[in-house]
Amino acid sequence: MGYQRGNHQQNREIWNNALEASDRISLAHELEQLANLDQENFSLELKFRNDKGRLFYLDLKGWKIKSEQPEQNRIIGFLFDHSFAKNREQMLFRCNHEANIGFWEVDRIENTIFWSQVTKEIHEVGPDFIPNLEEGIHCFDEVWSRARISELVERAISKVETYEEELIVASQTGKKKWTKNICVPEIYK
């Protein structure tokens, strides 16, 4: 990351200066929880700036190693740099936003639905809106659009069939919009 190895105090100062302020607070909280409670491990994503100001995204994983004397407990951890993947993900989000391409995901195991920010903008709902499958299908405006998307989603779920279809949605404010809907089901075992 560009920093020279120093003594313990210098290393602590480097970390304090290089970590984003919110990450310093999260890390301090996790370490306190680890020290004071029966928590055995933790996992955090940290944003770290190197000596040239470049932002890195690091996964920090840590475990408590217990001793018979609590004051001798230790923490062991490792960092994994996932900056490349995170930067690509952010670039994809920016491209989707500029091209007005939304995306969504239905998790049948957890029974959750995710709408990207652009999908929420297309539907004119707030950023904190959490859809359910029924609402997602109900936003298709015309009876034939709603019937068609219901059929397509059912086949995607039951037969793992992909689809590509242009249908009309009605936004939260009542605007009708033609949308191209593409689905590629994925099955995880």
Side-chain angles (χ1 to χ4, degrees):
M1 304 239 179
Y3 292 104
Q4 298 298 316
R5 190 175 207 166
N7 64 36
H8 180 70
Q9 186 59 34
Q10 288 172 324
N11 289 340
R12 180 176 280 191
E13 288 173 22
I14 287 170
W15 270 96
N16 280 334
N17 293 331
L19 281 176
E20 299 285 314
S22 61
D23 290 348
R24 281 196 299 272
I25 293 167
S26 297
L27 180 58
H29 174 75
E30 286 295 329
L31 293 175
E32 185 178 318
Q33 294 286 342
L34 204 60
N36 297 329
L37 301 174
D38 286 335
Q39 183 176 333
E40 298 293 324
N41 56 51
F42 67 93
S43 178
L44 288 173
E45 180 183 88
L46 302 173
K47 293 174 288 304
F48 182 91
R49 293 207 180 268
N50 73 359
D51 62 340
K52 295 180 178 36
R54 182 173 171 217
L55 186 63
F56 287 84
Y57 293 90
L58 306 173
D59 280 331
L60 172 62
K61 307 246 186 258
W63 293 267
K64 179 172 20 179
I65 300 173
K66 288 185 176 180
S67 173
E68 289 183 17
Q69 284 115 13
E71 66 276 0
Q72 293 182 0
N73 287 346
R74 301 286 182 257
I75 298 172
I76 188 169
F78 71 90
L79 290 169
F80 174 74
D81 178 8
H82 69 276
S83 302
F84 181 81
K86 188 72 169 182
N87 289 332
R88 293 298 181 264
E89 178 183 296
Q90 289 178 344
M91 185 169 49
L92 180 61
F93 278 111
R94 286 193 305 270
C95 290
N96 285 348
H97 193 269
E98 291 301 316
N100 203 30
I101 298 172
F103 58 92
W104 50 270
E105 178 180 6
V106 176
D107 184 329
R108 300 290 292 171
I109 295 169
E110 298 295 324
N111 201 26
T112 58
I113 294 182
F114 169 80
W115 279 5
S116 72
Q117 191 58 43
V118 175
T119 300
K120 291 177 181 182
E121 290 169 9
I122 290 168
H123 290 275
E124 298 179 344
V125 296
D128 297 330
F129 178 75
I130 300 171
N132 62 45
L133 190 56
E134 186 176 308
E135 288 171 326
I137 288 174
H138 190 71
C139 72
F140 286 86
D141 186 53
E142 304 294 330
V143 173
W144 64 269
S145 280
R146 201 171 299 142
R148 181 70 175 141
I149 197 66
S150 295
E151 175 191 342
L152 292 169
V153 168
E154 177 57 35
R155 287 192 355 222
I157 292 169
S158 64
K159 298 179 181 175
V160 195
E161 288 183 7
T162 63
Y163 65 81
E164 186 172 324
E165 191 90 16
E166 291 187 20
L167 300 166
I168 300 173
V169 297
S171 72
Q172 190 81 0
T173 62
K175 286 184 192 167
K176 294 183 181 186
K177 303 176 182 184
W178 278 97
T179 60
K180 185 171 191 174
N181 297 269
I182 301 170
C183 176
V184 180
E186 296 179 355
I187 304 295
Y188 299 100
K189 294 182 181 188

